[in-house]
Amino acid sequence: MQIIDTHAHYDHKQFNKDRDELLKSLPGLGIGMVINVGCDLKSSRASVEMAEVYPYVYATAGVHPHDAKSLSEDVLTKLKALCKHKKVVAYGEIGLDFFHNFSPQSVQRFWFKRQLEVALELGLPVVIHSRDANEEVFSMIKDSKIRRGVIHSFSGDAALALAYVEMGFYIGIGGVVTFDKTGKLQAATAAIPLENILLETDCPYLTPHPHRGKRNDSTYLSFVADEIAKIKGTSAEAVRAQTGENAKKLFLIP
């Protein structure tokens, strides 16, 4: 069973030297599908362009909280037009990041709320970024009518994960589960039904153990699947199969 990577950034400059070679190699290395995630208008367009070239690559469009300060209604209009492309399967990456605060928190809140409204208008699931803002992100999503999406690179506890699941969301699990020394993510992973977990890399970042320090790519997801299988007392094949079905269901991919 091939793996679906539900959160990648192959438009990143770290892939400039070998992007085409790497992407072409993925199906032969056990990767059946990749969702390349937009973080601003430029990367969203790049994601769509990649999806047009590679049949197994799909795209999202949206603006990351880091870049909320650059958002405007004009940019949203362009993103909405981009979202009409047949291979755009979600709106995002959107949310709040109160760790880096590259955009002022008030600006992040305003545009997160606005982008949730856009996703609802478009009928697309959302890809959510939440860092040092778990309670506020949950509250804002709950107050919206959005009930389809994934909490990317989940960093909360088991109770929060299950609250998201109850609301209709999936939980994105990546390389951190292989090296989190606090045990919090492992405990959350144990609590989340396998039917609500998605595999993701966030490549080129968050490379799993034992390859930390290297550039991440979708082929390293086998280590994540193995760790989830160990935590849940099942087989890696079962993890690959179920998470793949989950991805197809969320993103409405045949």
Side-chain angles (χ1 to χ4, degrees):
M1 177 62 67
Q2 291 193 311
I3 286 175
I4 294 180
D5 184 353
T6 62
H7 196 114
H9 298 286
Y10 282 114
D11 55 290
H12 194 281
K13 63 183 179 181
Q14 287 193 38
F15 295 106
N16 284 354
K17 290 184 178 180
D18 63 346
R19 181 179 295 108
D20 182 59
E21 179 184 358
L22 176 57
L23 287 172
K24 283 179 177 177
S25 74
L26 293 180
L29 296 172
I31 308 302
M33 198 177 300
V34 172
I35 313 294
N36 205 78
V37 175
C39 291
D40 55 19
L41 184 56
K42 181 181 178 181
S43 62
S44 296
R45 284 173 171 161
S47 296
V48 170
E49 289 169 3
M50 272 190 286
E52 290 176 337
V53 173
Y54 307 96
Y56 40 87
V57 174
Y58 290 80
T60 79
V63 176
H64 192 286
H66 288 348
D67 295 296
K69 60 182 178 292
S70 68
L71 246 173
S72 66
E73 286 297 329
D74 179 60
V75 170
L76 283 188
T77 297
K78 292 173 181 176
L79 285 168
K80 284 192 277 187
L82 199 59
C83 285
K84 293 179 181 178
H85 192 285
K86 64 182 180 180
K87 293 196 77 178
V88 172
V89 295
Y91 192 92
E93 176 177 354
I94 62 175
L96 301 176
D97 191 313
F98 293 167
F99 178 79
H100 289 292
N101 288 308
F102 290 156
S103 290
Q105 293 186 6
S106 60
V107 173
Q108 291 187 48
R109 292 185 185 99
F110 178 87
W111 287 111
F112 181 33
K113 183 175 185 293
R114 186 71 186 91
Q115 289 191 98
L116 287 170
E117 293 169 352
V118 169
L120 188 65
E121 174 189 335
L122 296 170
L124 288 173
V126 288
V127 178
I128 300 295
H129 176 101
S130 176
R131 188 165 187 190
D132 284 10
N134 282 334
E135 291 184 10
E136 192 159 353
V137 168
F138 180 83
S139 178
M140 290 182 70
I141 293 173
K142 188 175 182 180
D143 288 345
S144 78
K145 295 181 181 179
I146 293 284
R147 294 297 180 265
R148 287 178 59 223
V150 53
I151 311 303
H152 153 62
S153 192
F154 183 74
S155 61
D157 59 19
L160 181 61
L162 293 175
Y164 272 121
V165 168
E166 173 113 13
M167 205 157 56
F169 280 75
Y170 292 82
I171 307 298
I173 304 295
V176 178
V177 77
T178 68
F179 59 76
D180 178 25
K181 294 181 179 179
T182 70
K184 185 170 73 171
L185 183 55
Q186 290 88 343
T189 301
I192 304 163
L194 189 55
E195 291 77 13
N196 293 94
I197 291 177
L198 298 180
L199 298 180
E200 60 175 39
T201 54
D202 202 24
C203 66
Y205 309 110
L206 302 181
T207 311
H209 177 79
H211 295 287
R212 289 189 72 190
K214 296 181 180 179
R215 183 188 70 177
N216 200 8
D217 67 54
S218 303
T219 62
Y220 290 137
L221 272 177
S222 59
F223 296 100
V224 178
D226 288 347
E227 185 66 21
I228 293 172
K230 179 181 175 182
I231 290 169
K232 301 191 79 65
T234 187
S235 68
E237 187 70 12
V239 171
R240 293 176 183 223
Q242 185 61 60
T243 56
E245 289 304 310
N246 299 343
K248 292 176 183 178
K249 183 178 179 181
L250 173 62
F251 298 116
L252 300 180
I253 299 172

